[in-house]
Amino acid sequence: MRIRSLGVIDDAVVELSPGFTAVTGETGAGKTMVVTSLGLLLGGRADPALVRIGAKAAVVEGRITVADGDTVALRAEEAGGEIEDGALLISRTVSAEGRSRAHLGGRSVPVGVLSELADELVAVHGQTDQQGLLKPARQRQALDRYAGDGVAVPHAEYATAYRRLRAVATELDELTTRARERAQEADLLRFGLNEIAAVEPLAGEDADLAAEAERLGHAEALASAASLAHTALAGNPEDPEGIDATTVVAAAGRSLDAVRTHDPALAALADRIGEISILLSDVAGELAGYADQLDADPLRLAAVEERRAALTALTRKYGEDITAVLAWAREGSARLAELEGDDDRIGELTAERDALRAELSVLGQSLTDARNRAAALFAEAVTAELASLAMPHARVSFAIRQIEAADEASGIEIDGRSVAYGPSGADEVELLLAPHPGAQPRPIAKGASGGELSRVMLAVEVVFAGADPVPTYLFDEVDAGVGGKAAVEVGRRLAKLARSAQVVVVTHLPQVAAFADRQLLVEKTVDGAVTSSGVTVLEGEDRVRELSRMLAGQEDSQTARAHAEELLAAARVEG
């Protein structure tokens, strides 16, 4: 990896050994930045606070060896990246403003693509993971992860049934607890539908009646106006001397007809006058018919107004016009049918809930049995690892238990008991440790010292490594609290793991660092106001000097140097 402008690191190249690489240095020198850099390359969160003060951006570049056809290579090629000579280049840039860019195989990609590759490339284990594993929920997750498909398959089936049961229970609870509200809603709908049905409105009826009421309310004025207009157009039979439009137009037409043959233009005007005469006759006839048909019956007007009042009562409650009222009635009928069907729905949901709870009992029992089988194997494997970590008499076991349900209706049956359950089953899983013969197994958070806890956690991680292998393992000071002979055993076990995978360890223990195939020193120098860190590969005398510092805090102590040389020699022999 090449790291630039990240934290206290100005510009450094980190060359990791194919086997076991130990990263050492003074507190605050920037060892953690190596871990952070790897996290950024694998899609970790980009924090602008990581950018070195005064720099525009932090850049981490990595060169990863991949095999043709493996998952990482295929995913990189899908993203458009190129692999050259079996090497995949990854880079991540984080600006001081918080923007982040990622490149894979020379191609810009979303950061999420790097995250997809993380699980296939590196397993990172640090003190945060140790603290997390002290929680029973994390211990259950660890056991499930170790068990693989043995637990994953029944867990997936259980989770599907559990989600459906939650959905059914929620709907059932809503239906039963809101029964009064639904009954009130149904009564209101029935009243409204009955009120509309009693009136029997027709679409557009309100507009038609409004027009008829307007006409009936002014019948006399309308009849008088039609009569006067008819007289003006067609004349009054009782007044032969009267002048009307029809007679005048007819006279005009006759005067033109006498001479129309002499001029085509005048003939065209005569034709137009003829059309006017015909139109006047038609209008006059329609006016006569309108006046004859006009009904001024006050009884009809009263009936229309009464009907309009009934329709207005509906529009005040159910819609702005009768069309909207009818739409409300259709929707109300559908909702009422739904509400009236709730009793049937409650019966269906109750039956489904009971069936799902019975199914969960079977699936939960299968999940518990699978965890018990995996727990025995897991505990045996971790116990064996502890023997190689200077804890030969320690025994690890799992306590898998269930909590009694408040009542039978709220639980599922496991081993003949009604127990509480959740999305991951009915099991509470706790990792127990008996550090020596005769000791009662106790939860590891209570039954282990700091050094013992670190070794237990390391043993757990090593067992994980065998169950779910990845090419690279990064351990960030998981040896905290360990010293002396136990530290030697930790170094020896990490070296053994490095025979089958690449192992990178950030450590403060010389006993661990001595077993490394390569030791990297992270050191910083102060130059005015600028702090720079460099990463150096230690060999020969330099490595002895660093181990001496780690042992005694004094690089030139002859006793420490002798001890450092002894550690290196012993590690080489065992390696």
Side-chain angles (χ1 to χ4, degrees):
M1 291 189 299
R2 183 178 183 185
I3 309 168
R4 287 179 288 172
S5 302
L6 183 70
V8 297
I9 296 180
D10 182 15
D11 192 344
V13 176
V14 181
E15 299 179 7
L16 303 178
S17 167
F20 181 3
T21 299
V23 182
T24 63
E26 294 277 6
T27 301
K31 299 189 298 299
T32 302
M33 288 297 103
V34 176
V35 180
T36 302
S37 299
L38 191 55
L40 286 173
L41 281 183
L42 298 175
R45 187 175 68 89
D47 185 354
L50 296 172
V51 180
R52 183 176 172 82
I53 296 175
K56 294 182 178 180
V59 181
V60 182
E61 299 167 311
R63 182 179 184 274
I64 298 175
T65 302
V66 296
D68 291 338
D70 71 6
T71 304
V72 173
L74 292 175
R75 184 65 186 94
E77 291 171 353
E78 287 176 2
E82 295 183 0
I83 299 174
E84 298 181 2
D85 300 326
L88 176 63
L89 300 180
I90 301 177
S91 70
R92 183 82 180 277
T93 302
V94 181
S95 72
E97 291 79 21
R99 293 189 299 275
S100 172
R101 297 195 307 273
H103 289 81
L104 180 66
R107 179 64 62 87
S108 178
V109 297
V111 174
V113 175
L114 302 187
S115 300
E116 293 176 19
L117 303 181
D119 292 339
E120 301 292 335
L121 290 172
V122 179
V124 180
H125 307 294
Q127 293 186 45
T128 301
D129 301 277
Q130 289 190 16
Q131 295 302 315
L133 278 173
L134 295 180
K135 301 176 182 178
R138 287 289 301 276
Q139 292 173 14
R140 186 193 65 237
Q141 293 170 6
L143 176 61
D144 290 354
R145 173 184 160 197
Y146 170 81
D149 288 345
V151 165
V153 172
H155 187 283
E157 296 175 351
Y158 175 94
T160 300
Y162 178 84
R163 287 192 296 271
R164 177 56 189 163
L165 176 59
R166 290 296 89 198
V168 168
T170 299
E171 184 178 354
L172 186 59
D173 182 64
E174 182 180 354
L175 289 176
T176 53
T177 57
R178 294 184 56 202
R180 179 178 298 177
E181 295 175 14
R182 293 196 317 278
Q184 292 174 346
E185 182 184 357
D187 285 345
L188 288 174
L189 286 172
R190 289 192 194 93
F191 178 84
L193 291 171
N194 289 336
E195 190 174 15
I196 294 172
V199 175
E200 296 182 337
L202 300 175
E205 183 182 3
D206 50 344
D208 294 341
L209 288 176
E212 185 177 359
E214 183 74 12
R215 186 171 63 254
L216 291 173
H218 300 82
E220 292 183 2
L222 293 173
S224 175
S227 177
L228 290 174
H230 178 268
T231 300
L233 294 179
N236 187 349
E238 296 178 359
D239 183 13
E241 301 299 325
I243 300 174
D244 59 81
T246 302
T247 301
V248 171
V249 171
R254 285 194 298 274
S255 65
L256 294 181
D257 284 340
V259 295
R260 63 179 299 159
T261 57
H262 303 301
D263 187 350
L266 191 63
L269 292 174
D271 291 339
R272 291 172 64 186
I273 289 176
E275 293 172 0
I276 292 173
S277 180
I278 294 172
L279 181 59
L280 286 174
S281 297
D282 291 342
V283 171
E286 291 182 14
L287 284 172
Y290 174 84
D292 292 340
Q293 295 175 1
L294 191 61
D295 186 3
D297 185 359
L299 294 178
R300 174 57 186 167
L301 178 59
V304 168
E305 293 296 348
E306 183 179 356
R307 179 65 176 173
R308 290 187 69 201
L311 296 179
T312 300
L314 297 182
T315 56
R316 278 200 303 266
K317 296 180 181 180
Y318 308 111
E320 61 182 12
D321 54 29
I322 292 302
T323 299
V325 169
L326 293 173
W328 183 93
R330 288 192 298 271
E331 295 172 1
S333 296
R335 175 58 178 164
L336 181 60
E338 180 182 333
L339 292 172
E340 290 177 337
D342 279 350
D343 289 341
D344 294 337
R345 181 60 177 160
I346 288 174
E348 294 172 0
L349 290 173
T350 300
E352 185 178 3
R353 180 201 61 192
D354 295 342
L356 284 168
R357 187 173 288 144
E359 182 183 358
L360 275 186
S361 295
V362 175
L363 295 173
Q365 184 70 64
S366 298
L367 191 53
T368 297
D369 294 342
R371 283 181 174 139
N372 279 318
R373 289 191 295 269
L377 296 174
F378 194 10
E380 181 180 351
V382 173
T383 298
E385 285 297 329
L386 288 178
S388 66
L389 293 172
M391 295 179 66
H393 304 297
R395 294 290 180 271
V396 167
S397 60
F398 277 95
I400 299 179
R401 49 183 173 264
Q402 299 81 33
I403 298 177
E404 296 289 339
D407 53 72
E408 289 190 8
S410 63
I412 61 174
E413 186 175 318
I414 302 292
D415 293 330
R417 299 177 297 125
S418 179
V419 300
Y421 63 99
S424 295
D427 305 317
E428 287 198 346
V429 177
E430 194 162 33
L431 186 61
L432 308 179
L433 173 67
H436 53 79
Q440 289 295 320
R442 299 182 64 194
I444 56 174
K446 301 177 181 178
S449 65
E452 289 172 338
L453 179 60
S454 291
R455 280 177 281 171
V456 171
M457 292 299 118
L458 178 58
V460 168
E461 299 297 356
V462 169
V463 170
F464 278 153
D468 186 20
V470 293
T472 300
Y473 295 89
L474 174 61
F475 295 93
D476 183 13
E477 296 192 13
V478 293
D479 50 17
V482 177
K485 182 180 178 181
V488 174
E489 296 300 335
V490 169
R492 182 179 291 116
R493 190 62 192 85
L494 289 170
K496 182 179 178 182
L497 178 61
R499 295 173 189 169
S500 58
Q502 183 182 41
V503 176
V504 181
V505 179
V506 177
T507 183
H508 65 282
L509 292 180
Q511 297 94 328
V512 172
F515 280 90
D517 299 305
R518 171 176 289 176
Q519 183 172 349
L520 302 179
L521 172 63
V522 180
E523 57 184 348
K524 63 180 180 180
T525 60
V526 179
D527 181 10
V530 179
T531 301
S532 299
S533 284
V535 181
T536 307
V537 178
L538 298 180
E539 295 178 350
E541 181 63 24
D542 292 335
R543 188 171 185 187
V544 172
R545 184 180 297 110
E546 171 63 6
L547 290 176
S548 299
R549 182 199 63 77
M550 297 172 71
L551 282 163
Q554 299 176 358
E555 299 176 359
D556 298 325
S557 167
Q558 293 302 315
T559 302
R561 286 177 59 82
H563 191 184
E565 291 171 349
E566 182 181 354
L567 279 175
L568 286 171
R572 281 194 292 269
V573 169
E574 294 189 22

